[in-house]
Amino acid sequence: MRKGRFAFVSIVLILAVFALVYYGIQFTSNLGKTDQQVSAEDAASKLAKLYGKLGVTTEAPVKGQIDLDPVDVAASLPDISKFPIAVEPTTDTFLEIFSSTEKSGSGVDGWLTEVGEAFNKAGIQAGGKPASVQIRNIASGTAADYIRSGKHVPDAFTPSNELWGEMVKASGVKTELVAKRLAGNVPGIVMAKAKYDEIVGDYGAVNVKTVTDAIAENKLSMGYTDPFASSTGLNFLLTALYTFDSSDLLSETAVQGFQKFQANVPFTASTTIQMREAAKSGRLDAFVLEYQTFVNADDFKSGYVFTPFGVRHDSPLYALGDIGPEKLEIARKFAEFALGAQQQKAASDKGFNGLDSYQPELPAVDGALLASAQKLWKEKKNEAKPIAAVFVTDVSGSMAGEPLNRLKESLVKGQKYLGKDNSIGLVSYSDRVSIRLPIAKYDTNQQSMFVGAVDSLQASGGTATFDGILAAIKLLEDYKQTDPNARPLIFVLSDGETNKGSSLKDIRDLIEAYQIPIYTIGYNANIKALESISGINEAASINADTDDVVYKIGNLFNVQM
């Protein structure tokens, strides 16, 4: 009995010694390391372990035929019926108006909708005939694309600001300013109060100059919106360039100033909604927003400060093309009606006409110069931190037929928007994962192999979405060994269903640890499942089951690549 007890005690002591040694090694191995270093090592260890189980294969790249023609914006735009009519005309003679979304929607964003409905009921005549308006709800940048490309030119256009009107004018479309203002509004920098006080303490004031300085010196984390699509984003870009060189927005001084601050911009959002979600997560100190949206947003009622900048967003009204005297009379009478006391009170009630004392910081800017500024942004925005992106394509059986055909079409056409200074790779997955194209600089050779890899995709088998994402993370981490400055991105193109391999629960901590934004594009998709992936690191999710998928993907690539 004593021998048994002795043996048992001896075993316990040996196990205790082993445990002490093991945990002692674990403890001492982490001495002197930050929590971030330990976390990174843990993530790398887990990634290597999970990736090792995947059995990833590598396909031999195949070159495809590339089209070197410029992007055809008109061809990528869907039929105009894609965008809803907010106000239907009530007479045979009517004025078709494209209106920016902050005023032609519903609720607090429905001021012009209500004005249009009231105008149509007022019995107003033009040229001796009953007159009415049709108002279409469409974002200013998208509306400008329709007009400038000739895809669809309405009778009139009321964007958020005059910048879009100048760009339309510069494209050769006949443009007549009917009213410089329908309702007052201004863009601004929205900043957390504590950070606002800190910037004032360091720089003496908060304005675009001090904000860009603070970003360049890595003292401020700020996001802004796509200057190709967003009125506020375009305004911010121009104002920033103006602060770097007020005499020449495209000078070397302005470009260098832009690159210095852009290198520390953590987030350029495709949409205002995406940016607001990132702000709510606490990852941004500041972001851009229109005042009318700011005063109606419960999220920012307290704890934030609004600082106006740039040109005003006063919703000018333009007549377009040779619309004839009758329609031009309708346009003028509609502007007069909208500027009446009753309609202006309604505008104020919805958050417009605030900050009326604010005077524009920017002088008038020529439309051709605006287009050049957009081009500069596209070419220079990632120069300090070039993008490395992996496209993760779902080739499971559920993607067979139309979904895979649409995926291929959207990638082959959308790749024209990819910046040539970036690097890309391609992964496909069904039951298993295949590397179709290793990451490399997106020169003509890589472009040809990318198109060839996309063309060769065929659908069969199950769906291991998260195994595909794992492989993409591993590719990007390996690539960063050769280019530590690269900023990683992942694009997942899928129907959103997963029935094989890893789950989101299995790899969520890796996605969070590596902080790689994962943009998702859904084909016949479980959109909620894809949104849950994109939402981890504040990326966007696109529903590709529409005829504007190429246009939407082009905009996404324009911003992120």
Side-chain angles (χ1 to χ4, degrees), residues 26-304:
Q26 292 297 306
F27 176 74
T28 55
S29 68
N30 289 333
L31 282 177
K33 297 178 181 177
T34 65
D35 290 343
Q36 189 174 4
Q37 287 172 319
V38 173
S39 177
E41 289 173 3
D42 290 344
S45 175
K46 181 174 180 177
L47 176 61
K49 183 179 178 181
L50 291 176
Y51 181 81
K53 295 178 180 179
L54 298 184
V56 175
T57 59
T58 301
E59 305 290 330
V62 178
K63 286 193 173 184
Q65 292 293 314
I66 61 174
D67 174 8
L68 296 177
D69 292 335
V71 171
D72 186 346
V73 175
S76 70
L77 289 163
D79 187 84
I80 193 60
S81 60
K82 171 77 181 175
F83 298 90
I85 294 175
V87 177
E88 294 281 1
T90 56
T91 60
D92 293 335
T93 303
F94 65 90
L95 186 78
E96 181 189 15
I97 305 173
F98 279 4
S99 169
S100 55
T101 55
E102 79 280 0
K103 60 182 182 284
S104 57
S106 59
V108 295
D109 296 327
W111 172 70
L112 199 67
T113 301
E114 295 173 10
V115 171
E117 290 170 346
F119 180 85
N120 287 355
K121 291 176 182 177
I124 292 170
Q125 293 197 345
K129 299 176 184 177
S132 62
V133 294
Q134 178 195 79
I135 299 177
R136 194 179 297 275
N137 179 298
I138 181 169
S140 299
T142 304
D145 281 343
Y146 274 93
I147 298 165
R148 293 164 67 200
S149 69
K151 178 86 171 189
H152 189 98
V153 181
D155 302 317
F157 178 34
T158 173
S160 297
N161 63 37
E162 64 194 51
L163 302 176
W164 300 111
E166 291 300 317
M167 291 178 75
V168 165
K169 182 179 178 181
S171 71
V173 176
K174 183 180 177 182
T175 304
E176 180 175 335
L177 183 64
V178 176
K180 190 172 179 63
R181 166 176 169 156
L182 293 182
N185 202 2
V186 294
I189 298 165
V190 177
M191 190 176 296
K193 181 65 166 62
K195 180 58 70 170
Y196 179 91
D197 292 340
E198 183 182 316
I199 297 298
V200 170
D202 290 344
Y203 297 91
V206 170
N207 52 47
V208 172
K209 176 66 170 70
T210 59
V211 161
T212 53
D213 285 347
I215 292 171
E217 294 166 15
N218 215 17
K219 293 182 178 180
L220 180 70
S221 175
M222 178 176 161
Y224 64 97
T225 42
D226 174 12
F228 277 86
S230 163
S231 299
T232 309
L234 177 60
N235 205 339
F236 182 78
L237 170 65
L238 290 175
T239 308
L241 291 172
Y242 183 77
T243 65
F244 301 136
D245 188 345
S246 60
S247 63
D248 183 358
L249 302 187
L250 304 179
S251 71
E252 187 61 29
T253 300
V255 171
Q256 288 176 357
F258 168 75
Q259 288 177 303
K260 188 177 178 183
F261 107 89
Q262 181 67 23
N264 285 324
V265 171
F267 189 67
T268 305
S270 300
T271 65
T272 300
I273 293 173
Q274 181 194 357
M275 187 182 58
R276 284 176 62 179
E277 289 302 311
K280 285 194 288 186
S281 73
R283 295 180 64 180
L284 295 177
D285 299 320
F287 51 95
V288 297
L289 206 64
E290 286 186 317
Y291 186 73
Q292 185 264 347
T293 304
F294 174 75
V295 296
N296 286 305
D298 291 337
D299 302 332
F300 310 121
K301 291 282 187 192
S302 61
Y304 287 86

Side-chain angles (χ1 to χ4, degrees), residues 321-386:
D322 294 310
I323 61 173
E326 283 186 354
K327 289 192 175 184
L328 187 57
E329 185 180 353
I330 299 173
R332 289 170 177 161
K333 288 189 173 182
F334 180 73
E336 182 182 351
F337 185 85
L339 290 166
Q342 182 179 347
Q343 305 303 335
Q344 288 300 300
K345 180 182 182 305
S348 299
D349 291 342
K350 293 184 186 296
F352 292 100
N353 297 331
L355 302 184
D356 262 358
S357 62
Y358 171 74
Q359 294 298 311
E361 291 180 337
L362 280 173
V365 181
D366 176 74
L369 185 61
L370 290 168
S372 295
Q374 287 180 321
K375 184 179 179 183
L376 181 151
W377 180 81
K378 172 67 177 172
E379 292 175 352
K380 302 293 185 181
K381 64 185 171 68
N382 295 324
E383 205 163 76
K385 281 190 173 182

Side-chain angles (χ1 to χ4, degrees), residues 390 392 429 465 469 490-494 518-522 530:
V390 175
V392 181
Y429 68 88
T465 302
I469 292 173
I490 294 173
F491 296 91
V492 175
L493 300 93
S494 171
I518 302 176
Y519 294 84
T520 56
I521 303 165
L530 294 177

